[in-house]
Amino acid sequence: MINQIYQLTSPRHFEISYNNTDIYSENVIVRPLYLSICAADQRYYTGSRDEKTLKKKLPMSLIHEGVGEVVFDSKGIYEKGTKVVMVPNTPTETDDVIAENYLPSSYFKSSGYDGFMQDFNFLKHDRVVPLPSDVDLSILSYTELVSVSLHAINRFEKKSISNRSSFGIWGDGNLGYITALLLRKIYPDCKIYVFGKTDYKLSHFSFVDKTYHINDIPNDLTFDHGFECVGGKGSQSAINQIIDYIFPEGSIALLGVSEIPIEINTRLVLEKGITLIGSSRSGVEDFKNVVNLYIKYPDVIDKLSLLKGQEFEIRNIKDLTNAFEADLSTSWGKTVLKWTM
């Protein structure tokens, strides 16, 4: 069959390419229903990545967050119409120690490989996870971001000390919100503090114990572990604030992505015996764990709905461009694409 792929060929410019694919391959064919724009997609769209990277990776279909429905499965594993979340990380080998999202041989959709902006996505059977019925798929479109947060929490659990009575989360955006929400469910009796700089954003964190403006933190405040969900240039000051306030031998989970090297107070890291835990992306097990969490705690989906921003129906490339342009001015939440190409 001829599949249409909507690729970014240069900053702010999409074009259609065509690929002839055998429907009786080893893959399950998934029609996208809802997709969500990520900051990484915007870095490609606006051309803010360095010229060498853009030249290497474009043309490329964007988007690695999305849900769809099965339209054909030659193996008969998934019934037609099954709603699934699509997993962007695609390993080519397994390792007994290293997770699939850290293997250099794995590839990731919308990062050098075509993402989900296609008429149909041809995915390996282990790259789709069935979703519960009777849920708002537009909200579940950003499940990938939820899986990234849950993956970081799972890594923290394996690598940190057992003192877990309080957490400090730096970042009042999407990732900080999701991380705070998951920590509240996983550690219901713990104190959770969120630190940010925008009162409007901090007002969404009604389920945490306390929110603080980063320029007005009590001197005597402390917590067992920290989560950095800021990224960019702000990650430097965020990490150093966490180092200042965290209790000795605590762990700092690093989730924010910065395009430039940053400086941190290593003297205090050594003095306090702090553990820094890096996390990146997620694997299929993280997606399964998120879906199980949706089933166990249905109210999680309700709270995730607060993150849903504008929804755009995508019928042509012009709609696609309009959605990406509008997303650039979004101050809170996730821009969702209803895929009707």
Side-chain angles (χ1 to χ4, degrees):
M1 68 178 292
I2 303 298
N3 189 31
Q4 292 191 135
I5 304 171
Y6 305 88
Q7 293 182 319
L8 184 74
T9 56
S10 62
R12 286 185 157 87
H13 184 73
F14 294 106
E15 292 183 10
I16 301 175
S17 65
Y18 302 89
N19 187 27
N20 189 4
T21 307
D22 181 10
I23 65 171
Y24 292 99
S25 64
E26 293 295 306
N27 297 317
V28 56
I29 305 175
V30 179
R31 167 72 178 170
L33 293 177
Y34 290 94
L35 306 175
S36 180
I37 298 175
C38 172
D41 297 311
Q42 284 290 13
R43 286 193 287 270
Y44 288 113
Y45 175 75
T46 57
S48 58
R49 296 295 303 272
D50 63 272
E51 187 175 343
K52 182 179 179 181
T53 298
L54 291 173
K55 186 175 181 180
K56 179 182 178 181
K57 296 193 175 186
L58 299 186
M60 176 179 66
S61 171
L62 299 180
I63 305 291
H64 57 266
E65 302 177 8
V67 297
E69 66 176 350
V70 173
V71 295
F72 185 74
D73 181 5
S74 62
K75 289 187 174 182
I77 296 174
Y78 295 104
E79 292 185 7
K80 181 179 179 181
T82 301
K83 304 302 188 290
V84 297
V85 57
M86 300 178 286
V87 181
N89 191 68
T90 309
T92 59
E93 62 178 331
T94 59
D95 190 280
D96 293 336
V97 177
I98 302 174
E100 64 171 60
N101 44 310
Y102 298 110
L103 290 171
S105 56
S106 296
Y107 62 90
F108 193 84
K109 292 184 180 296
S110 80
S111 181
Y113 301 88
D114 281 329
F116 296 141
M117 292 196 331
Q118 307 183 35
D119 282 350
F120 301 97
N121 285 279
F122 292 74
L123 303 169
K124 293 183 179 180
H125 286 76
D126 66 349
R127 296 298 104 183
V128 297
V129 178
L131 292 168
S133 58
D134 301 323
V135 292
D136 188 339
L137 293 176
S138 67
I139 297 171
L140 269 55
S141 65
Y142 37 90
T143 290
E144 190 272 343
L145 185 58
V146 183
S147 75
V148 169
S149 178
L150 188 59
H151 172 75
I153 293 173
N154 288 337
R155 282 175 62 78
F156 152 77
E157 288 180 335
K158 294 175 183 177
K159 300 176 183 295
S160 66
I161 62 173
S162 59
N163 294 348
R164 296 170 187 174
S165 63
S166 55
F167 300 98
I169 301 171
W170 259 253
D172 52 19
N174 302 333
L175 189 57
Y177 180 87
I178 292 171
T179 301
L181 176 58
L182 296 183
L183 286 173
R184 172 55 74 213
K185 288 301 179 184
I186 297 170
Y187 300 98
D189 299 322
C190 292
K191 298 289 185 182
I192 299 177
Y193 311 118
V194 175
F195 303 81
K197 60 180 182 180
T198 308
D199 292 338
Y200 165 69
K201 293 181 179 180
L202 288 171
S203 68
H204 293 87
F205 293 78
S206 59
F207 49 87
V208 303
D209 293 278
K210 186 74 175 178
T211 61
Y212 295 96
H213 194 282
I214 55 174
N215 294 325
D216 189 22
I217 304 174
N219 291 330
D220 59 350
L221 180 67
T222 189
F223 45 83
D224 293 326
H225 304 283
F227 286 79
E228 180 272 314
C229 302
V230 177
K233 297 178 180 179
S235 61
Q236 176 169 308
S237 59
I239 293 171
N240 283 314
Q241 274 195 328
I242 299 174
I243 292 171
D244 288 338
Y245 288 96
I246 197 170
F247 203 73
E249 292 209 49
S251 296
I252 304 176
L254 306 176
L255 285 82
V257 177
S258 175
E259 295 294 325
I260 58 173
I262 63 170
E263 297 179 358
I264 63 172
N265 186 353
T266 55
R267 175 177 290 277
L268 204 52
V269 170
L270 302 180
E271 183 178 315
K272 289 188 172 184
I274 296 170
T275 299
L276 304 180
I277 305 172
S279 294
S280 179
R281 298 172 176 167
S282 58
V284 67
E285 290 302 317
D286 300 301
F287 279 80
K288 292 178 180 178
N289 290 336
V290 168
V291 172
N292 289 335
L293 196 106
Y294 290 158
I295 296 171
K296 185 176 181 180
Y297 303 110
D299 62 308
V300 166
I301 298 177
D302 294 334
K303 288 185 172 61
L304 287 174
S305 68
L306 291 178
L307 283 179
K308 183 181 174 181
Q310 296 185 80
E311 179 180 314
F312 292 84
E313 183 174 359
I314 307 301
R315 297 156 296 188
N316 50 52
I317 285 181
K318 183 179 179 181
D319 291 336
L320 200 54
T321 301
N322 290 340
F324 269 83
E325 290 293 334
D327 180 70
L328 289 171
S329 60
T330 299
S331 61
W332 167 264
K334 301 283 293 179
T335 297
V336 174
L337 313 179
K338 183 179 180 180
W339 196 256
T340 59
M341 283 278 203

